[in-house]
Amino acid sequence: MSDKPKTKAKAVDRRGFLKAGIAAGGAAVLATGARASESDPLITEIQDWNRYLGEGVQAYPYGQPSRYEAHVVRRDVEWLTASTESSVNFTPLHELEGIITPNGLCFERHHAGIAEIDPANHRLMINGLVDTPLVFTMADLKRFPRENRVYFLECAANSGMEWRGAQLNGCQYTHGMVHCVVYTGVPLRTLLEEAGVKTNARWVMPEGADASAMTRSVPIEKALDDCLVAFKMNGEALRPEQGYPLRLVVPGWEGNMWVKWLRRIEVGDEPWHHREETSKYTDLLDTGKARRFTWVMDAKSVITSPSPQMPVTHGKGPLVISGVAWSGNGTVKRVDVSIDGGRNWTTARIDGPSLPKALHRFYLDIDWDGSDLLIQSRAMDEAGFFQPTKNELRAARGENSIYHNNSIQTWHVKTDGTVENVEVS
Ligand SMILES: Nc1nc2c(c(=O)[nH]1)N[C@H]1C(S)=C(S)[C@@H](COP(=O)(O)O)O[C@H]1N2
Ligand SMILES: [Mo]
């Protein structure tokens, strides 16, 4: 292990922070681990699990994670939970790797609880400005050509509690209203063409079958572009909490439009101005005016480890900085990481698939000298958009907003390895 010469860290302000060595090209980090000659009973002795037969095939065969992973669960924030029916919980981003969110860990946001629907009793209607209003059963939908696509879903309120200052201690809470899965479904375009869209059609309104009857106005261009009517996630049926048996997928656009328990799509010539696009999911500016129809989720990223729930426990030396980046504009082209609060940036290594409107995994492998770090990540998407700093975002959009906070997150890694949510000025 190469220990860099130590220098004492100063106060928690950006100027006082020292740079830890960044491994050139990410390849020069020395391997960690003990020498095999140092006897460790866990490797030299035969352990019980190596000696005795394990559990047999389970009678109830849906697989579960190891019991040692029982802490890897969705969590909520008590004071953000109005009632369990109108609620949200958060994806444990800090525990995940790669780009796919396991089904049981996808955050949930419901306005009226989880509708329990027998797929045999589920229908999807297309009506309004169409030549032939149609009603589909689930079996009907499964006879149309289908597609598989990987997309992130981000609630517009993700990071909303961080607008005015650093608040929640963990990327699960600050950034956990995002998930990314592979959907299987029928292009909405195919179903609209089947019904025959009239020439004066400009908007569609998906509606949910839950007690909130969630509705949003979606422009016809988007409906005919990449939207999917999906019935599978990560290969298996949608989970009840994700809209079983059918949900709308609106790639790159705010989660609220991804109507779950999808029962109807009305085609019209103007937007409906419903609750979720007027009093909610609009961005109140300092001028008192509100931005509306801000659908695209802009370039964003966060370091998932180290982070407050994922402290450094191994001391100085090789340290893997891991994070996720995404953009509703397409692929993420580049992610930069700073370890000194944004003064110097190093281009991180994107590893794994780079798919449009999907999570991207990035790494920066450093040699930590044990001093305080202010770690940040900054994504740039294929349209050329960069994530703003918190102050840049506030200058543009004021401090009244909740939604669409895509600003740069800072974690303070302390000398003892603990990590805290902070802001730099
Ligand atoms: N029918 C219906 N669809 C809905 C909602 C809802 O409450 N009812 N919540 C919306 C919101 S605000 C978000 S962010 C996403 C959350 O999707 P998820 O629960 O799969 O994470 O679903 C959207 N679709
Ligand atoms: Mo949402």
Side-chain angles (χ1 to χ4, degrees):
M1 259 198 234
S2 73
D3 291 343
K4 294 200 71 185
K6 261 193 300 186
T7 338
K8 262 239 150 66
K10 298 186 197 108
V12 186
D13 107 86
R14 168 154 65 162
R15 276 185 197 86
F17 278 81
L18 304 157
K19 273 199 296 170
I22 293 171
V29 171
L30 293 179
T32 66
R35 287 177 199 283
S37 58
E38 293 164 19
S39 83
D40 175 349
L42 283 170
I43 191 75
T44 56
E45 306 293 320
I46 292 175
Q47 303 297 319
D48 281 355
W49 53 87
N50 205 184
R51 193 192 309 266
Y52 303 112
L53 287 177
E55 286 281 325
V57 164
Q58 303 291 305
Y60 183 69
Y62 197 97
Q64 300 293 319
S66 159
R67 65 190 170 97
Y68 300 106
E69 299 296 319
H71 57 287
V72 183
V73 287
R74 302 185 280 218
R75 291 179 195 279
D76 61 11
V77 172
E78 213 178 318
W79 55 266
L80 278 176
T81 306
S83 69
T84 52
E85 296 80 19
S86 175
S87 190
V88 62
N89 60 22
F90 301 92
T91 307
L93 290 177
H94 59 294
E95 289 279 4
L96 303 181
E97 278 293 339
I99 67 165
I100 297 294
T101 315
N103 288 341
L105 297 177
C106 289
F107 87 93
E108 307 167 61
R109 171 76 181 104
H110 324 302
H111 291 70
I114 301 168
E116 196 189 314
I117 303 177
D118 177 346
N121 296 333
H122 191 70
R123 300 290 181 271
L124 172 65
M125 176 162 85
I126 298 187
N127 71 325
L129 297 178
V130 290
D131 299 332
T132 320
L134 294 173
V135 174
F136 304 100
T137 63
M138 288 302 296
D140 294 335
L141 292 173
K142 290 178 180 174
R143 298 179 65 188
F144 287 96
R146 61 188 81 150
E147 291 180 355
N148 293 285
R149 296 283 183 278
V150 178
Y151 292 122
F152 76 81
L153 178 165
E154 185 184 16
C155 176
N158 198 22
S159 315
M161 299 302 123
E162 305 292 305
W163 262 97
R164 291 172 196 189
Q167 185 160 226
L168 298 169
N169 233 359
C171 65
Q172 176 164 21
Y173 307 113
T174 55
H175 290 75
M177 277 197 266
V178 66
H179 52 63
C180 183
V181 313
V182 50
Y183 293 97
T184 308
V186 179
L188 177 55
R189 182 192 337 108
T190 307
L191 302 179
L192 289 171
E193 280 166 2
E194 190 75 8
V197 172
K198 293 206 186 287
T199 50
N200 58 335
R202 295 289 175 274
W203 294 79
V204 303
M205 184 192 69
E207 180 189 67
D210 57 329
S212 80
M214 177 63 63
T215 44
R216 283 292 301 258
S217 304
V218 180
I220 192 85
E221 296 76 20
K222 182 68 174 175
L224 295 173
D225 180 17
D226 55 1
C227 292
L228 291 178
V229 172
F231 44 86
K232 301 271 181 180
M233 58 193 289
N234 291 335
E236 63 178 1
L238 292 176
R239 291 290 169 90
E241 53 270 45
Q242 262 72 43
Y244 181 85
L246 200 63
R247 98 173 295 167
L248 187 65
V249 169
V250 190
W253 288 21
E254 62 187 16
N256 186 257
M257 306 174 89
W258 298 48
V259 171
K260 303 192 273 191
W261 311 290
L262 180 67
R263 70 179 292 272
R264 190 168 72 92
I265 291 169
E266 186 174 326
V267 182
D269 57 0
E270 52 184 11
W272 284 263
H273 306 292
H274 282 180
R275 174 182 182 268
E276 309 291 317
E277 52 205 18
T278 51
S279 100
K280 305 292 175 197
Y281 296 102
T282 49
D283 311 314
L284 185 58
L285 304 175
D286 270 352
T287 58
K289 292 198 173 183
R291 301 196 316 160
R292 295 194 59 194
F293 297 143
T294 46
W295 301 304
V296 176
M297 300 309 293
D298 280 322
K300 188 164 171 177
S301 68
V302 66
I303 292 171
T304 51
S305 178
S307 63
Q309 296 156 290
M310 198 51 86
V312 185
T313 53
H314 54 58
K316 62 189 176 182
L319 171 64
V320 174
I321 297 177
S322 176
V324 277
W326 62 95
S327 170
N329 291 309
T331 57
V332 171
K333 275 288 161 236
R334 204 177 94 199
V335 182
D336 299 326
V337 169
S338 174
I339 58 172
D340 59 7
R343 301 180 80 195
N344 298 283
W345 295 92
T346 305
T347 298
R349 174 169 61 89
I350 292 177
D351 187 81
S354 171
L355 300 167
K357 305 172 190 181
L359 291 191
H360 290 58
R361 175 63 54 178
F362 67 85
Y363 297 104
L364 187 71
D365 306 295
I366 70 163
D367 190 5
W368 184 38
D369 65 3
S371 63
D372 287 88
L373 306 175
L374 289 172
I375 56 175
Q376 302 182 330
S377 64
R378 175 178 75 175
M380 188 191 83
D381 67 26
E382 67 175 274
F385 289 110
F386 266 107
Q387 262 183 280
T389 64
K390 276 195 173 186
N391 285 336
E392 285 166 351
L393 190 68
R394 289 183 187 122
R397 303 247 301 276
E399 292 197 23
N400 292 323
S401 272
I402 299 170
Y403 305 110
H404 300 285
N405 176 0
N406 69 325
S407 62
I408 293 169
Q409 172 67 45
T410 314
W411 304 128
H412 175 191
V413 181
K414 299 176 189 181
T415 52
D416 65 359
T418 60
V419 183
E420 200 185 350
N421 181 4
V422 296
E423 256 186 49
V424 292
S425 47

